[in-house]
Amino acid sequence: MNILSENTAFGGMQAVFSHDSEACNCEMTFAVFVPPQATERPCPVLWYLSGLTCTHANVMEKGEYRRMAAELGLIIVCPDTSPRGKDVPDSLTNWQLGQGAGFYVDATESPYALNYQMETYITKELPALIAGSFRADMDRQGIFGHSMGGHGAMTFALKYPGRYKSCSAFAPIVSPSTSPWAQGAFEKYLGTDPDVWRKHDACALVAAGARFPEFLIDQGTADGFLEEGLKPWLFEAAVKDTDIALTLRMHERYDHSYYFISTFMDDHLRWHAERV
């Protein structure tokens, strides 16, 4: 790994690294906060997956997680949202496709399949790197995210039973296979078969029998993307009459921004700390 930056914060270390990714066939960047407790013992790992157009830097700079993570003794890992570089396929006219919009899937369609292997990167390659480089207790992992990252966090929790002990989301895309926000990207990455799309859709995974003990979702009612792209009530309906517990909190006047995320970040970190 190459150290791009390293700073002390709340007694811990906030750093940014780059490394050559075999999964994505390019250089990838991620941020990690290591709490002060890691000098004495391995600490649980909490993965934060960012949303469309973001990088690792958005939550690192605006998410306001370090104080509480240091208090609770949580390692916070913030991957990028897609492969990047001049040779990586991109869409210059569509912010919902290409660099910054990997949707946390393994693409099967050309030209994206060569680089856009984000599920493999997040669930296999990067965890191996974290386990070997930091005092991380990989038996105690949680995952959360925002928007597209909320979609990624929820689907990974459902698809990898036993991997994560906790999952939460800020304004997630709960049904990307039916959302205009995601359908275009899914077609370009995964092809035109809706059955393939549903393997990356939290609502469809629950309908197919996937299970996870409980989810926490926070959603702002003033979110301009609520009706078109997010629709948390679809997930509420999906888990009804299952053994999946859902805490869905709707917040008046809050939008889709990091002002919203930072407001409820402490709540989410405490939620995960109680479960990992």
Side-chain angles (χ1 to χ4, degrees):
M1 294 188 298
N2 299 310
I3 301 174
L4 302 184
S5 66
E6 191 173 21
N7 301 94
T8 300
F10 298 98
M13 178 195 71
Q14 175 67 69
V16 179
F17 297 91
S18 66
H19 69 106
D20 292 328
S21 168
E22 293 184 8
C24 296
N25 289 292
C26 65
E27 185 177 67
M28 294 293 287
T29 301
F30 68 94
V32 60
F33 176 74
V34 181
Q37 293 89 336
T39 62
E40 302 174 355
R41 62 181 185 275
C43 293
V45 179
L46 185 54
W47 299 85
Y48 179 88
L49 305 185
S50 293
L52 286 161
T53 75
C54 292
T55 71
H56 67 281
N58 296 74
V59 68
M60 185 181 75
E61 295 170 355
K62 297 183 287 188
E64 301 182 21
Y65 58 80
R66 278 174 289 271
R67 180 188 60 80
M68 184 56 64
E71 178 180 322
L72 298 172
L74 297 172
I75 294 173
I76 310 292
V77 182
C78 309
D80 202 348
T81 52
S82 76
R84 298 182 191 270
K86 63 182 180 64
D87 297 323
V88 173
D90 196 11
S91 174
L92 300 180
T93 59
N94 184 357
W95 58 276
Q96 296 168 332
L97 176 68
Q99 295 186 35
F103 273 93
Y104 303 104
V105 301
D106 283 349
T108 58
E109 303 300 301
S110 180
Y112 296 100
L114 178 62
N115 303 106
Y116 285 73
Q117 301 296 306
M118 290 301 294
E119 181 170 349
T120 295
Y121 177 69
I122 298 294
T123 63
K124 295 181 180 178
E125 184 175 17
L126 191 52
L129 195 62
I130 296 298
S133 304
F134 306 97
R135 297 197 69 185
D137 185 346
M138 303 304 285
D139 291 327
R140 302 170 64 196
Q141 297 184 69
I143 191 166
F144 69 146
H146 171 229
S147 193
M148 177 184 73
H151 137 74
M154 293 172 67
T155 56
F156 289 169
L158 289 163
K159 292 172 71 173
Y160 296 90
R163 168 78 64 89
Y164 307 103
K165 296 186 179 299
S166 57
C167 181
S168 69
F170 301 99
I173 306 172
V174 300
S175 182
S177 66
T178 65
S179 169
W181 262 38
Q183 287 174 324
F186 272 25
E187 181 174 346
K188 294 294 185 182
Y189 295 152
L190 302 171
T192 58
D193 185 352
D195 287 338
V196 175
W197 297 2
R198 286 191 281 270
K199 296 176 182 178
H200 307 277
D201 181 307
C203 290
L205 286 167
V206 170
R211 293 293 181 265
F212 192 76
E214 57 182 334
F215 293 91
L216 167 65
I217 295 176
D218 277 315
Q219 173 67 62
T221 63
D223 190 326
F225 306 115
L226 177 59
E227 297 288 337
E228 179 183 8
L230 307 177
K231 305 178 182 179
W233 48 85
L234 295 180
F235 192 71
E236 187 175 37
V239 301
K240 186 179 180 181
D241 299 325
T242 73
D243 57 355
I244 299 174
L246 171 63
T247 301
L248 173 59
R249 307 191 303 186
M250 303 297 294
H251 302 279
E252 296 293 329
R253 304 192 309 277
Y254 283 95
D255 58 18
H256 202 67
S257 71
Y258 268 89
Y259 296 109
F260 161 61
I261 295 168
S262 63
T263 299
F264 299 102
M265 178 62 76
D266 283 2
D267 288 355
H268 283 244
L269 295 183
R270 291 190 187 99
W271 164 276
H272 289 279
E274 291 173 356
R275 291 161 175 79
V276 295

PDB file of all heavy atoms in Angstrom, residues 58-79:
ATOM      1  N   ASN A  58     -15.664  11.942   0.748  1.00  0.00           N
ATOM      2  CA  ASN A  58     -16.863  12.653   1.184  1.00  0.00           C
ATOM      3  C   ASN A  58     -17.202  12.381   2.634  1.00  0.00           C
ATOM      4  O   ASN A  58     -17.392  13.296   3.435  1.00  0.00           O
ATOM      5  CB  ASN A  58     -18.036  12.285   0.280  1.00  0.00           C
ATOM      6  CG  ASN A  58     -17.837  12.726  -1.142  1.00  0.00           C
ATOM      7  OD1 ASN A  58     -17.045  12.118  -1.866  1.00  0.00           O
ATOM      8  ND2 ASN A  58     -18.518  13.774  -1.568  1.00  0.00           N
ATOM      9  N   VAL A  59     -17.285  11.107   2.997  1.00  0.00           N
ATOM     10  CA  VAL A  59     -17.610  10.794   4.389  1.00  0.00           C
ATOM     11  C   VAL A  59     -16.434  11.094   5.302  1.00  0.00           C
ATOM     12  O   VAL A  59     -16.612  11.507   6.449  1.00  0.00           O
ATOM     13  CB  VAL A  59     -18.056   9.321   4.537  1.00  0.00           C
ATOM     14  CG1 VAL A  59     -16.909   8.354   4.278  1.00  0.00           C
ATOM     15  CG2 VAL A  59     -18.666   9.086   5.912  1.00  0.00           C
ATOM     16  N   MET A  60     -15.219  10.916   4.807  1.00  0.00           N
ATOM     17  CA  MET A  60     -14.037  11.199   5.622  1.00  0.00           C
ATOM     18  C   MET A  60     -13.996  12.671   6.027  1.00  0.00           C
ATOM     19  O   MET A  60     -13.647  13.004   7.166  1.00  0.00           O
ATOM     20  CB  MET A  60     -12.762  10.830   4.850  1.00  0.00           C
ATOM     21  CG  MET A  60     -11.487  10.971   5.676  1.00  0.00           C
ATOM     22  SD  MET A  60     -10.005  10.565   4.729  1.00  0.00           S
ATOM     23  CE  MET A  60      -9.843  12.037   3.694  1.00  0.00           C
ATOM     24  N   GLU A  61     -14.385  13.549   5.128  1.00  0.00           N
ATOM     25  CA  GLU A  61     -14.294  14.981   5.384  1.00  0.00           C
ATOM     26  C   GLU A  61     -15.574  15.570   5.978  1.00  0.00           C
ATOM     27  O   GLU A  61     -15.519  16.581   6.677  1.00  0.00           O
ATOM     28  CB  GLU A  61     -13.959  15.706   4.073  1.00  0.00           C
ATOM     29  CG  GLU A  61     -12.574  15.333   3.528  1.00  0.00           C
ATOM     30  CD  GLU A  61     -12.339  15.858   2.131  1.00  0.00           C
ATOM     31  OE1 GLU A  61     -13.278  16.445   1.526  1.00  0.00           O
ATOM     32  OE2 GLU A  61     -11.221  15.657   1.616  1.00  0.00           O
ATOM     33  N   LYS A  62     -16.730  14.928   5.728  1.00  0.00           N
ATOM     34  CA  LYS A  62     -18.003  15.528   6.136  1.00  0.00           C
ATOM     35  C   LYS A  62     -18.874  14.628   6.997  1.00  0.00           C
ATOM     36  O   LYS A  62     -19.913  15.068   7.482  1.00  0.00           O
ATOM     37  CB  LYS A  62     -18.789  15.952   4.890  1.00  0.00           C
ATOM     38  CG  LYS A  62     -18.097  17.031   4.065  1.00  0.00           C
ATOM     39  CD  LYS A  62     -18.930  17.486   2.892  1.00  0.00           C
ATOM     40  CE  LYS A  62     -18.992  16.471   1.777  1.00  0.00           C
ATOM     41  NZ  LYS A  62     -19.644  16.998   0.554  1.00  0.00           N
ATOM     42  N   GLY A  63     -18.455  13.390   7.211  1.00  0.00           N
ATOM     43  CA  GLY A  63     -19.307  12.444   7.925  1.00  0.00           C
ATOM     44  C   GLY A  63     -19.251  12.548   9.430  1.00  0.00           C
ATOM     45  O   GLY A  63     -20.137  12.035  10.122  1.00  0.00           O
ATOM     46  N   GLU A  64     -18.218  13.168   9.965  1.00  0.00           N
ATOM     47  CA  GLU A  64     -18.097  13.423  11.407  1.00  0.00           C
ATOM     48  C   GLU A  64     -18.209  12.142  12.232  1.00  0.00           C
ATOM     49  O   GLU A  64     -18.944  12.075  13.214  1.00  0.00           O
ATOM     50  CB  GLU A  64     -19.141  14.458  11.851  1.00  0.00           C
ATOM     51  CG  GLU A  64     -18.999  15.790  11.124  1.00  0.00           C
ATOM     52  CD  GLU A  64     -20.006  16.844  11.594  1.00  0.00           C
ATOM     53  OE1 GLU A  64     -20.528  16.706  12.715  1.00  0.00           O
ATOM     54  OE2 GLU A  64     -20.257  17.795  10.825  1.00  0.00           O
ATOM     55  N   TYR A  65     -17.438  11.127  11.859  1.00  0.00           N
ATOM     56  CA  TYR A  65     -17.500   9.841  12.556  1.00  0.00           C
ATOM     57  C   TYR A  65     -16.358   9.605  13.524  1.00  0.00           C
ATOM     58  O   TYR A  65     -16.436   8.701  14.364  1.00  0.00           O
ATOM     59  CB  TYR A  65     -17.527   8.694  11.541  1.00  0.00           C
ATOM     60  CG  TYR A  65     -16.337   8.663  10.593  1.00  0.00           C
ATOM     61  CD1 TYR A  65     -15.111   8.133  10.984  1.00  0.00           C
ATOM     62  CD2 TYR A  65     -16.447   9.158   9.294  1.00  0.00           C
ATOM     63  CE1 TYR A  65     -14.027   8.103  10.120  1.00  0.00           C
ATOM     64  CE2 TYR A  65     -15.382   9.140   8.427  1.00  0.00           C
ATOM     65  CZ  TYR A  65     -14.171   8.611   8.835  1.00  0.00           C
ATOM     66  OH  TYR A  65     -13.100   8.597   7.978  1.00  0.00           O
ATOM     67  N   ARG A  66     -15.275  10.365  13.445  1.00  0.00           N
ATOM     68  CA  ARG A  66     -14.053  10.000  14.171  1.00  0.00           C
ATOM     69  C   ARG A  66     -14.185  10.093  15.688  1.00  0.00           C
ATOM     70  O   ARG A  66     -13.684   9.230  16.413  1.00  0.00           O
ATOM     71  CB  ARG A  66     -12.883  10.861  13.687  1.00  0.00           C
ATOM     72  CG  ARG A  66     -12.257  10.357  12.403  1.00  0.00           C
ATOM     73  CD  ARG A  66     -11.208  11.310  11.866  1.00  0.00           C
ATOM     74  NE  ARG A  66     -11.832  12.515  11.342  1.00  0.00           N
ATOM     75  CZ  ARG A  66     -12.245  12.642  10.070  1.00  0.00           C
ATOM     76  NH1 ARG A  66     -12.092  11.652   9.220  1.00  0.00           N
ATOM     77  NH2 ARG A  66     -12.816  13.756   9.658  1.00  0.00           N
ATOM     78  N   ARG A  67     -14.848  11.106  16.195  1.00  0.00           N
ATOM     79  CA  ARG A  67     -14.947  11.251  17.651  1.00  0.00           C
ATOM     80  C   ARG A  67     -15.647  10.051  18.268  1.00  0.00           C
ATOM     81  O   ARG A  67     -15.152   9.449  19.236  1.00  0.00           O
ATOM     82  CB  ARG A  67     -15.697  12.536  18.013  1.00  0.00           C
ATOM     83  CG  ARG A  67     -15.836  12.758  19.540  1.00  0.00           C
ATOM     84  CD  ARG A  67     -16.744  13.945  19.843  1.00  0.00           C
ATOM     85  NE  ARG A  67     -18.077  13.757  19.314  1.00  0.00           N
ATOM     86  CZ  ARG A  67     -19.027  13.028  19.889  1.00  0.00           C
ATOM     87  NH1 ARG A  67     -18.767  12.367  21.023  1.00  0.00           N
ATOM     88  NH2 ARG A  67     -20.228  12.920  19.352  1.00  0.00           N
ATOM     89  N   MET A  68     -16.791   9.664  17.702  1.00  0.00           N
ATOM     90  CA  MET A  68     -17.533   8.547  18.252  1.00  0.00           C
ATOM     91  C   MET A  68     -16.827   7.219  17.981  1.00  0.00           C
ATOM     92  O   MET A  68     -16.836   6.313  18.838  1.00  0.00           O
ATOM     93  CB  MET A  68     -18.951   8.522  17.693  1.00  0.00           C
ATOM     94  CG  MET A  68     -19.850   7.444  18.290  1.00  0.00           C
ATOM     95  SD  MET A  68     -19.991   7.520  20.096  1.00  0.00           S
ATOM     96  CE  MET A  68     -20.803   9.114  20.299  1.00  0.00           C
ATOM     97  N   ALA A  69     -16.223   7.069  16.806  1.00  0.00           N
ATOM     98  CA  ALA A  69     -15.488   5.840  16.506  1.00  0.00           C
ATOM     99  C   ALA A  69     -14.329   5.653  17.474  1.00  0.00           C
ATOM    100  O   ALA A  69     -14.047   4.524  17.913  1.00  0.00           O
ATOM    101  CB  ALA A  69     -14.986   5.855  15.073  1.00  0.00           C
ATOM    102  N   ALA A  70     -13.672   6.743  17.843  1.00  0.00           N
ATOM    103  CA  ALA A  70     -12.587   6.659  18.822  1.00  0.00           C
ATOM    104  C   ALA A  70     -13.124   6.276  20.197  1.00  0.00           C
ATOM    105  O   ALA A  70     -12.514   5.483  20.921  1.00  0.00           O
ATOM    106  CB  ALA A  70     -11.840   7.992  18.885  1.00  0.00           C
ATOM    107  N   GLU A  71     -14.262   6.831  20.557  1.00  0.00           N
ATOM    108  CA  GLU A  71     -14.864   6.513  21.854  1.00  0.00           C
ATOM    109  C   GLU A  71     -15.283   5.050  21.933  1.00  0.00           C
ATOM    110  O   GLU A  71     -15.094   4.377  22.966  1.00  0.00           O
ATOM    111  CB  GLU A  71     -16.069   7.419  22.092  1.00  0.00           C
ATOM    112  CG  GLU A  71     -16.802   7.150  23.399  1.00  0.00           C
ATOM    113  CD  GLU A  71     -17.995   8.073  23.587  1.00  0.00           C
ATOM    114  OE1 GLU A  71     -17.891   9.266  23.221  1.00  0.00           O
ATOM    115  OE2 GLU A  71     -19.036   7.593  24.093  1.00  0.00           O
ATOM    116  N   LEU A  72     -15.829   4.527  20.823  1.00  0.00           N
ATOM    117  CA  LEU A  72     -16.355   3.171  20.806  1.00  0.00           C
ATOM    118  C   LEU A  72     -15.328   2.120  20.409  1.00  0.00           C
ATOM    119  O   LEU A  72     -15.585   0.920  20.525  1.00  0.00           O
ATOM    120  CB  LEU A  72     -17.543   3.101  19.843  1.00  0.00           C
ATOM    121  CG  LEU A  72     -18.746   3.978  20.191  1.00  0.00           C
ATOM    122  CD1 LEU A  72     -19.759   3.958  19.054  1.00  0.00           C
ATOM    123  CD2 LEU A  72     -19.397   3.523  21.491  1.00  0.00           C
ATOM    124  N   GLY A  73     -14.186   2.549  19.913  1.00  0.00           N
ATOM    125  CA  GLY A  73     -13.153   1.610  19.508  1.00  0.00           C
ATOM    126  C   GLY A  73     -13.454   0.892  18.207  1.00  0.00           C
ATOM    127  O   GLY A  73     -13.246  -0.313  18.077  1.00  0.00           O
ATOM    128  N   LEU A  74     -13.938   1.635  17.199  1.00  0.00           N
ATOM    129  CA  LEU A  74     -14.308   1.066  15.909  1.00  0.00           C
ATOM    130  C   LEU A  74     -13.318   1.468  14.823  1.00  0.00           C
ATOM    131  O   LEU A  74     -12.984   2.657  14.690  1.00  0.00           O
ATOM    132  CB  LEU A  74     -15.699   1.548  15.496  1.00  0.00           C
ATOM    133  CG  LEU A  74     -16.875   1.156  16.392  1.00  0.00           C
ATOM    134  CD1 LEU A  74     -18.136   1.889  15.935  1.00  0.00           C
ATOM    135  CD2 LEU A  74     -17.098  -0.345  16.376  1.00  0.00           C
ATOM    136  N   ILE A  75     -12.857   0.514  14.049  1.00  0.00           N
ATOM    137  CA  ILE A  75     -12.121   0.802  12.820  1.00  0.00           C
ATOM    138  C   ILE A  75     -13.151   1.108  11.735  1.00  0.00           C
ATOM    139  O   ILE A  75     -14.071   0.319  11.507  1.00  0.00           O
ATOM    140  CB  ILE A  75     -11.238  -0.388  12.403  1.00  0.00           C
ATOM    141  CG1 ILE A  75     -10.121  -0.616  13.423  1.00  0.00           C
ATOM    142  CG2 ILE A  75     -10.643  -0.163  11.011  1.00  0.00           C
ATOM    143  CD1 ILE A  75      -9.298  -1.871  13.177  1.00  0.00           C
ATOM    144  N   ILE A  76     -13.012   2.238  11.073  1.00  0.00           N
ATOM    145  CA  ILE A  76     -13.934   2.630  10.005  1.00  0.00           C
ATOM    146  C   ILE A  76     -13.189   2.571   8.673  1.00  0.00           C
ATOM    147  O   ILE A  76     -12.182   3.266   8.488  1.00  0.00           O
ATOM    148  CB  ILE A  76     -14.485   4.054  10.212  1.00  0.00           C
ATOM    149  CG1 ILE A  76     -15.016   4.234  11.635  1.00  0.00           C
ATOM    150  CG2 ILE A  76     -15.562   4.351   9.171  1.00  0.00           C
ATOM    151  CD1 ILE A  76     -16.239   3.443  11.964  1.00  0.00           C
ATOM    152  N   VAL A  77     -13.674   1.747   7.750  1.00  0.00           N
ATOM    153  CA  VAL A  77     -13.072   1.618   6.427  1.00  0.00           C
ATOM    154  C   VAL A  77     -14.010   2.239   5.402  1.00  0.00           C
ATOM    155  O   VAL A  77     -15.192   1.896   5.342  1.00  0.00           O
ATOM    156  CB  VAL A  77     -12.788   0.153   6.064  1.00  0.00           C
ATOM    157  CG1 VAL A  77     -12.119   0.067   4.688  1.00  0.00           C
ATOM    158  CG2 VAL A  77     -11.903  -0.506   7.122  1.00  0.00           C
ATOM    159  N   CYS A  78     -13.474   3.147   4.586  1.00  0.00           N
ATOM    160  CA  CYS A  78     -14.270   3.874   3.591  1.00  0.00           C
ATOM    161  C   CYS A  78     -13.683   3.640   2.208  1.00  0.00           C
ATOM    162  O   CYS A  78     -12.757   4.351   1.787  1.00  0.00           O
ATOM    163  CB  CYS A  78     -14.283   5.368   3.902  1.00  0.00           C
ATOM    164  SG  CYS A  78     -14.748   5.779   5.601  1.00  0.00           S
ATOM    165  N   PRO A  79     -14.172   2.647   1.469  1.00  0.00           N
ATOM    166  CA  PRO A  79     -13.668   2.400   0.114  1.00  0.00           C
ATOM    167  C   PRO A  79     -14.158   3.460  -0.861  1.00  0.00           C
ATOM    168  O   PRO A  79     -15.070   4.238  -0.575  1.00  0.00           O
ATOM    169  CB  PRO A  79     -14.269   1.038  -0.237  1.00  0.00           C
ATOM    170  CG  PRO A  79     -14.846   0.494   1.032  1.00  0.00           C
ATOM    171  CD  PRO A  79     -15.175   1.676   1.887  1.00  0.00           C
TER     172      PRO A  79
END
